[in-house]
Amino acid sequence: MRDSAGGIADTPDSVRRRDAILPRMFTRAQITALQKSRRHGIGRLLLLARQDFIARLSEKMNGPDNAALQARGRLLPYIDVDGTRSIDLARRLGVTKQAVARMVKDLEDEGLLCRDADGADGRASLVRFTEAGLEYMTHMHKCIAQIEREYARLIGNEQMTVVRDALSMIAYRGEPADSKGADRA
């Protein structure tokens, strides 16, 4: 049973079970306040918004293969259109160079990426999009534009601009969004 906000509605049995497992040092009021705080905390809202975005994108990218989209989505947004060094990808993702190498290898096998020697540092490799990778990214960004239009219909164009500006300020440490949307990942 769902409540009006889309969450699971309390039933007498669920309340009894929940009350039975509540830590004894917290009052019902404290637990309720924590639940309310968590429900509207920015971290949770960003995670839930991302889940919604990924579900919509997966649907638009020709099917519900969410696992493949998420695997690609873990790395592709961090690659600059003109290529990015593997070490920089590892830093951006917060993972090891070996983890990046595995992800790049998988996407090379799909034909989306290739590795070239970095002209500035012969020891480093530069990860680049292949022609097929650029076509994939172009298709993805058309789908993203559709999703953004859906969100704008949901919250209004003015609010969408506010959301984009606020997220840009957070993501780019004080830099506002390009008003034409050129900053999209």
Side-chain angles (χ1 to χ4, degrees):
M1 181 188 315
R2 299 259 175 209
D3 64 13
S4 62
I8 303 294
D10 286 332
T11 64
D13 285 340
S14 70
V15 170
R16 273 193 296 280
R17 280 192 306 274
R18 188 177 60 227
D19 285 347
I21 61 170
L22 284 177
R24 298 294 175 213
M25 57 187 102
F26 288 92
T27 66
R28 164 65 38 212
Q30 288 171 315
I31 295 295
T32 301
L34 177 60
Q35 287 173 331
K36 185 176 181 179
S37 173
R38 288 186 73 222
R39 181 174 173 81
H40 297 288
I42 190 73
R44 178 170 262 191
L45 292 173
L46 288 169
L47 288 171
L48 293 172
R50 183 179 189 279
Q51 284 177 338
D52 179 80
F53 175 81
I54 294 297
R56 289 173 190 247
L57 185 58
S58 180
E59 182 181 310
K60 290 181 184 337
M61 292 289 293
N62 300 323
D65 189 5
N66 205 6
L69 181 66
Q70 286 193 10
R72 291 178 194 125
R74 178 111 200 261
L75 180 64
L76 295 180
Y78 294 99
I79 301 172
D80 299 326
V81 174
D82 56 351
T84 305
R85 291 177 28 174
S86 294
I87 188 73
D88 293 330
L89 289 173
R91 182 182 45 75
R92 290 175 185 179
L93 281 161
V95 299
T96 65
K97 292 183 289 185
Q98 293 80 5
V100 166
R102 283 191 299 273
M103 287 187 265
V104 169
K105 174 74 171 99
D106 290 344
L107 294 172
E108 279 180 315
D109 292 347
E110 288 188 45
L112 299 177
L113 298 177
C114 64
R115 281 182 267 203
D116 296 323
D118 184 356
D121 181 354
R123 300 169 297 163
S125 65
L126 196 61
V127 178
R128 296 182 189 273
F129 290 106
T130 61
E131 196 69 29
L134 290 171
E135 288 173 12
Y136 179 86
M137 294 300 290
T138 299
H139 175 63
M140 179 184 284
H141 280 269
K142 287 178 182 175
C143 294
I144 290 170
Q146 290 175 355
I147 294 167
E148 289 179 358
R149 287 190 297 275
E150 291 171 10
Y151 287 155
R153 282 192 297 276
L154 179 68
I155 66 173
N157 288 330
E158 190 173 310
Q159 282 295 100
M160 189 65 184
T161 299
V162 170
V163 167
R164 181 185 311 282
D165 287 345
L167 290 174
S168 292
M169 296 289 282
I170 292 168
Y172 299 115
R173 301 179 193 262
E175 293 180 33
D178 177 339
S179 62
K180 294 182 178 89
D183 291 337
R184 293 181 200 155

